[in-house]
Amino acid sequence: MKSCSCSSKIIPLLLLLLSATLILTVKATMSDFPPPSDYSHLIIDDWFHERGTLWPGQAFSLQITKVLHHAKSQYQDILVFDSTHHGKVLVLDGVIQCTERDEYSYQEMMAHIPLFAHPNPKRVLVIGGGDGGVLREIARHPGVEEICICELDKEVIEVSKKYLPFMACGFDDPRVKVHIMDGAKFMEENQASFDVIITDSSDPVGPASVLFETPFYKAMHGSLRDGGIVCTQGECVWLHVDIIGPLVKAISPLFETVEYAYCTIPSYPSGQIGFIIGKKAGGDVNGCKEPVRIADEAMLKELRYYTPEIHRSAFVLPAFAKRAIFGGK
C-alpha cells in the first residue's frame, strides 16, 4: 500500500515537472531570434505581428485580408499583404517597410528635405528604395536631370511594381536609371558625381547593417560633389539613440554639417523615424534646416506631409534626443 501511495504521488509530480518544462520550452521558442527563415510564424489568426530585436518588449499588429505575395529572394524574405485599414503592406525579413496608408510621410521627408536644402540638384542617387517611393518624390523636381538607383535585391523592385504601383510608379520616370548592384561599389566607381545621395535602407540588421557604418558614409562623401547632401534612414529616437548618437559623432568629421530630423509615421516602431543629414563642404555652411528652395503651389497641393514649415520643424528635437545625439546638457 505504501508503494502504491508513493507512486501515486510521484507520477503527478513528474507530469507537473514535464508540463513546466514544455511551457518554458514553448516560451523560449516564441521569443527566439532570429525567427524561422520564412517568417510565417508572425502571421497568427489572420493578423501580422511585427516583432524584432531592435524594439524589444513591444510589437505592432495589422489585420490581414489577403496575402498577395510571400517568397524568399536571394537576400531576404519578402511579404506583401492587403490589410483591413492600412491598404497594401510590404514586409522585408519580418519588418514593415511601408503601408499604403502612411508611406508618404517617410517618402516625402526622405526626398524633399535634402532636395529643397540644395540650391540646384541635378544628379541624385538613391541607395536601396526598391519600392520606388523615394523615386516618385524625387521625380516631382523638374530641375533634376538624372536619378540613379542602386538596389541590391531586384525582386523587391519586381514585387513592388506588381503589387505597390502607388509607389513603384517612381520607376516610370525617364530620368531613372536602375542599377542592380551594391551601392558602395557603385559609388566607388562614381566619385564626385552626385548632388544628393539618399539611402533608403531597412534597419541595421542583415544585409542593411553595413549602411549604418562609417565606411559607407565615407563612400557617400566621396561620391558627392562639393556642397552635396546625403540623407539616410536614421532610426527612432525613442528606441535607438544608442545607435544614432555614436554614428553621428563618428561621421561628423567627414561633413561640413551633420544634422538629425524626423517625421511621424504610425506603422513604424514607436510611430517615428529619423533622418541623418550630412552636407559636404563647398557650399552653404548653414546646414539643411532651412529650405533654400520652396515648392511651388502645384507641388504643395500634391504633397500630403512635406511643407516648408514641416521641413524646419523636423529638426527640432526633444531635449532627451538632442542630448543623446549631439551631447550637451
Side-chain angles (χ1 to χ4, degrees), residues 19-233:
S19 299
T21 303
L22 288 171
I23 291 169
L24 289 172
T25 302
V26 170
K27 286 184 177 180
T29 303
M30 290 294 287
S31 62
D32 190 31
F33 286 96
S37 59
D38 68 353
Y39 291 85
S40 59
H41 73 298
L42 297 178
I43 300 175
I44 303 171
D45 295 332
D46 294 326
W47 283 78
F48 171 78
H49 304 278
E50 182 187 59
R51 299 177 300 180
T53 54
L54 288 175
W55 42 94
Q58 67 182 59
F60 180 71
S61 300
L62 293 175
Q63 190 173 12
I64 299 171
T65 57
K66 184 179 181 181
V67 173
L68 302 173
H69 176 90
H70 194 193
K72 193 171 182 64
S73 73
Q74 181 182 350
Y75 299 99
Q76 57 202 333
D77 183 89
I78 303 174
L79 168 67
V80 181
F81 63 85
D82 220 337
S83 65
T84 56
H85 292 81
H86 286 70
K88 292 182 175 64
V89 181
L90 172 65
V91 180
L92 299 180
D93 279 348
V95 178
I96 294 171
Q97 303 300 305
C98 58
T99 80
E100 193 170 358
R101 179 185 179 186
D102 59 13
E103 53 83 15
Y104 57 86
S105 68
Y106 173 78
Q107 318 290 352
E108 291 183 15
M109 295 292 277
M110 173 69 87
H112 299 311
I113 286 180
L115 286 170
F116 281 119
H118 194 288
N120 190 25
K122 294 294 184 183
R123 298 191 77 215
V124 181
L125 171 63
V126 179
I127 306 292
D131 53 47
V134 168
L135 296 179
R136 179 193 67 200
E137 298 306 319
I138 298 170
R140 298 186 193 275
H141 293 254
V144 173
E145 296 174 353
E146 184 178 0
I147 309 168
C148 293
I149 177 170
C150 279
E151 169 60 62
L152 192 62
D153 194 342
K154 65 179 181 179
E155 290 188 40
V156 173
I157 296 176
E158 294 168 359
V159 168
S160 297
K161 285 182 176 180
K162 184 174 182 179
Y163 297 106
L164 310 170
F166 54 93
M167 291 196 301
C169 60
F171 287 99
D172 297 335
D173 192 281
R175 295 169 292 176
V176 173
K177 296 181 179 179
V178 180
H179 303 269
I180 306 299
M181 63 181 297
D182 177 70
K185 180 173 173 53
F186 180 82
M187 289 187 291
E188 184 181 340
E189 297 170 354
N190 291 270
Q191 293 290 291
S193 298
F194 296 98
D195 300 301
V196 173
I197 299 176
I198 297 170
T199 301
D200 179 14
S201 67
S202 50
D203 295 305
V205 291
S209 61
V210 296
L211 306 183
F212 290 79
E213 297 170 357
T214 305
F216 186 77
Y217 281 82
K218 288 181 179 178
M220 287 191 289
H221 183 273
S223 194
L224 277 179
R225 292 169 172 169
D226 289 346
I229 299 169
V230 299
C231 179
T232 68
Q233 192 265 95

